[in-house]
Amino acid sequence: MKRISYAEDHLVTGDDIADAVMAYAQALAMKGRSDSIEVPAVDAGGSPRLFTVLIGPASQMLTSDALTVDEARGDEIRDERIVADLMARTAALAGPSPVAVPQGTDVVDLETEQFGVAELGSVAPDQDGDRPSR
C-alpha cells in the first residue's frame, strides 16, 4: 500500500492505484490541464472511503511506501477498473508515438511537387499546378 500526500493531508491506497494516479497527474501537468478523479482509499481513521481528488498542473502530491503499522492494516486496495481508466486517460494525453522505419523501407519524400511543395530556389506552382516562367 502507498500513501498519497496531497493538500496537507494524505490517503492510503493500493500500489497500482497510487502509481496510476501519479502517472495521470504528470500527464495532465505536462498538458496544462486538470481533472477530478475518484480514488478508493483508507482515511486517517482506517475507514475505507472513495475520495474525489482534483489533479492538474498546480497539484503538489507525492507517494510513499513508508507506511505506519496503522495505515497498512487491512488488505491491499485494488480496483482494476479505476487503474485501467486512469491508464487510458494518461495514454490519451500522450498522443501518437513515433514509429521507427526499418532500413531499406521506401520513404515518401514529402517535399516534392506531388505534395505541392516547391523545390528550394524555384517558384511555387500557380493554381493550375503549372510553374510560371521566370
Side-chain angles (χ1 to χ4, degrees):
M1 302 246 280
K2 288 187 179 179
R3 177 187 352 194
I4 299 176
S5 299
Y6 179 80
E8 298 180 23
D9 204 351
H10 69 271
L11 51 97
V12 177
T13 192
D15 291 355
D16 292 344
I17 296 169
D19 293 344
V21 168
M22 292 298 283
Y24 186 46
Q26 180 182 9
L28 284 168
M30 297 295 289
K31 296 290 185 176
R33 297 177 54 192
S34 61
D35 195 5
S36 292
I37 59 171
E38 292 186 340
V39 180
V42 177
D43 65 17
S47 300
R49 294 182 42 201
L50 189 60
F51 291 84
T52 301
V53 181
L54 173 64
I55 55 176
S59 296
Q60 296 182 358
M61 61 174 53
L62 62 96
T63 60
S64 172
D65 289 327
L67 301 176
T68 66
V69 173
D70 289 336
E71 288 175 332
R73 69 180 157 208
D75 294 332
E76 176 85 6
I77 298 171
R78 298 187 189 283
D79 191 322
E80 285 80 22
R81 183 188 58 80
I82 288 177
V83 171
D85 179 54
L86 290 173
M87 290 173 60
R89 291 182 192 198
T90 301
L93 288 169
S97 298
V99 177
V101 177
Q103 280 188 320
T105 303
D106 290 336
V107 179
V108 176
D109 181 6
L110 298 178
E111 294 183 6
T112 64
E113 283 186 32
Q114 174 184 356
F115 295 101
V117 177
E119 294 178 31
L120 291 177
S122 67
V123 179
D126 62 18
Q127 291 180 348
D128 297 328
D130 297 325
R131 292 195 182 277
S133 59
R134 292 189 185 189

